[in-house]
Amino acid sequence: MLRRVILAAALMLNPTGGLVPRPRILGLGNWTNAYVQAKKLVAQMTAEEKSNFTYGYTSTINGCSGKSGGVPRLGYPEFRLQDAGNGVRGTDMVNSYASGIHVGASWNQQLAYDRAKEMGREFKMKGVNVALGPVVGPLGRIARGGRNWAGFGNDAYLSGVLAGVTVRELQESVIACVKHFIANEQETSRNRPYSPRVRSIGRCHRTWTIKHYTSSTSGSKANFPPDTRSASRFVILR
């Protein structure tokens, strides 16, 4: 319950004071009580406290990839975020699990389920709050792309279903963070402000959107929207 309250509160935070709109958040099913408590918690925060929590910091003392701020006055803890999509990175006494591309090649939901269940337990054991995975990009249009290994494959439905299973099981222990940004297709020159394969900005790539939509719902039970092409204004890969 505490994890749900904290996550729900994070979704409600709007440190801009309403200048930037956020989507309406609803508490459904077994999240109802968590959302009620989260609303009370957020209502007590100042603008500075909201901003502090929604800001990310590089961590050098706890071994994690990064962390958020916290609100000690209200007992609201920091979030500790850690890679990777195939298990806890850079530590001992944990396993290195199969990469996403290998799980995708199996077409096996049970394998994805078992893998995510054990990864979630290990993230929690190491004190991590947010597991930075699973990966649903890159699109994998270039077979030698340096980021292909992390995702489940370039088939939108396959990737979405396996990511959905992974999200559900990771979140039995920690919070899952589906990634990456659009155009994260390569390892070479990955830190450039743009990808050399980006051709234009306007509509969101349909395949990429379907992957994210499917993984964020119930995986194999997902219902696709009638037209995901107009979902947002992002990057098109040609």
Side-chain angles (χ1 to χ4, degrees):
M1 172 62 75
L2 178 60
R3 187 170 70 250
R4 288 178 178 169
V5 172
I6 293 173
L7 178 56
L11 293 173
M12 293 177 186
L13 289 174
N14 187 359
T16 64
L19 295 177
V20 178
R22 59 165 174 76
R24 185 182 180 190
I25 305 298
L26 299 175
L28 303 176
N30 55 10
W31 283 81
T32 302
N33 291 334
Y35 272 76
V36 171
Q37 295 182 48
K39 285 183 178 180
K40 294 179 180 178
L41 180 64
V42 172
Q44 300 177 62
M45 293 184 186
T46 66
E48 289 79 8
E49 288 171 335
K50 293 177 182 179
S51 180
N52 183 51
F53 182 77
T54 54
Y55 188 84
Y57 302 86
T58 300
S59 177
T60 59
I61 59 174
N62 62 14
C64 287
S65 301
K67 66 175 184 177
S68 73
V71 187
R73 178 178 67 86
L74 299 176
Y76 198 97
E78 301 173 343
F79 273 8
R80 293 179 292 274
L81 300 84
Q82 176 67 340
D83 287 310
N86 62 328
V88 190
R89 188 174 72 181
T91 188
D92 57 1
M93 305 302 292
V94 295
N95 293 293
S96 179
Y97 293 90
S99 297
I101 195 69
H102 299 117
V103 179
S106 74
W107 294 70
N108 190 323
Q109 290 190 58
Q110 186 62 46
L111 177 63
Y113 172 97
D114 294 338
R115 171 178 175 265
K117 184 176 182 178
E118 297 305 321
M119 286 196 304
R121 289 175 176 174
E122 292 185 358
F123 275 108
K124 184 176 182 179
M125 176 184 70
K126 287 295 183 178
V128 176
N129 304 112
V130 181
L132 299 176
V135 176
V136 297
L139 297 176
R141 297 187 64 184
I142 305 301
R144 294 183 296 175
R147 301 297 302 173
N148 291 350
W149 65 273
F152 295 110
N154 60 356
D155 181 89
Y157 187 76
L158 171 67
S159 180
V161 168
L162 295 181
V165 172
T166 301
V167 167
R168 291 201 307 274
E169 288 313 305
L170 279 175
Q171 293 197 155
E172 291 298 317
S173 301
V174 293
I175 298 168
C177 176
V178 180
K179 60 182 186 180
H180 276 285
F181 293 117
I182 290 178
N184 187 37
E185 296 288 310
Q186 63 183 48
E187 190 66 19
T188 303
S189 303
R190 60 176 289 184
N191 292 323
R192 289 184 181 181
Y194 61 90
S195 168
R197 295 199 59 77
V198 173
R199 294 292 183 267
S200 60
I201 297 178
R203 295 177 293 113
C204 180
H205 193 288
R206 182 178 178 84
T207 303
W208 189 91
T209 308
I210 290 176
K211 286 184 179 185
H212 272 272
Y213 181 85
T214 313
S215 64
S216 64
T217 54
S218 59
S220 61
K221 297 180 180 179
N223 294 313
F224 293 118
D227 186 359
T228 56
R229 289 174 295 179
S230 60
S232 187
R233 296 175 60 192
F234 282 118
V235 178
I236 302 173
L237 302 180
R238 296 295 187 187

